[in-house]
Amino acid sequence: VEDWSQAASLWHALFLADPDRPVEACREAARALIRLEDPESAAKLLDLGRRAHPEDPDLLALKGEALVAMGFRRAAEESFEHALRIDPLRVDALIALGRLRIDLGLESSAVEPLQRAVDRELHRLHQVVEQPDILFSIRESRENLVVAYFSLLACLIDNLTT
């Protein structure tokens, strides 16, 4: 907690000291404030940052996280959607949007963003794997692919919560 508190203070001071309001300082200060369970302060800071950088998808996704923590789930949904209109490949926002929609009882509308997140991560996995025969052996069995799909989804969700 002490490290997050110190990080929040330092990034916040950097953000306010610079008249250009650097997006990185805003992003990191807000992230630390969310970790410190102070989403209200994070949301206020993100609003300041968005004045200087209105279309920054990082700030929009973080605003969504702060809004979720504050209980404003519909507003958070809009913030995640806005971030995804700017950057449709943001896996963190796709997963957050999917999870939020599940929490809202909108399971059918959660499938699309979660599917896009999995597809994006599979695409990245394909780019990383250097031996195509490994992918071929995974594709040989539809059952193995389904298991891999759900394992990847669980991994993505786990990464978002840690």
Side-chain angles (χ1 to χ4, degrees):
V1 174
E2 187 176 306
D3 290 340
W4 285 113
S5 182
Q6 185 178 11
S9 295
L10 291 172
W11 283 113
H12 187 260
L14 286 170
F15 175 73
L16 293 177
D18 190 330
D20 293 331
R21 302 289 191 245
V23 71
E24 181 181 8
C26 182
R27 178 179 55 238
E28 297 307 322
R31 187 172 284 130
L33 288 166
I34 291 169
R35 292 280 187 157
L36 289 167
E37 298 180 7
D38 188 359
E40 293 84 6
S41 295
K44 289 176 186 173
L45 181 65
L46 289 162
D47 288 340
L48 285 174
R50 289 199 52 229
R51 286 187 197 144
H53 311 280
E55 296 298 307
D56 185 89
D58 289 334
L59 299 184
L60 288 160
L62 283 167
K63 179 72 184 262
E65 287 182 38
L67 290 167
V68 167
M70 292 171 17
F72 299 119
R73 298 183 305 175
R74 287 295 189 174
E77 182 181 27
E78 173 52 35
S79 194
F80 291 131
E81 288 172 347
H82 190 171
L84 290 166
R85 283 191 298 273
I86 296 166
D87 183 0
L89 301 178
R90 284 192 69 91
V91 172
D92 62 329
L94 289 166
I95 294 171
L97 180 59
R99 291 180 70 193
L100 177 61
R101 287 180 175 169
I102 289 170
D103 290 345
L104 290 169
L106 305 170
E107 290 84 2
S108 60
S109 66
V111 172
E112 186 267 335
L114 292 174
Q115 179 65 54
R116 284 176 42 207
V118 169
D119 291 346
R120 177 66 184 147
E121 288 303 299
L122 284 174
H123 176 73
R124 274 203 288 214
L125 178 64
H126 286 114
Q127 291 176 337
V128 170
V129 174
E130 295 178 359
Q131 300 172 352
D133 54 323
I134 292 173
L135 291 176
F136 179 76
S137 67
I138 291 173
R139 289 186 189 145
E140 275 184 54
S141 167
R142 184 181 181 124
E143 183 177 72
N144 286 344
L145 185 57
V146 169
V147 169
Y149 173 86
F150 283 108
S151 296
L152 180 60
L153 181 59
C155 181
L156 290 171
I157 290 171
D158 185 52
N159 285 338
L160 186 66
T161 60
T162 55

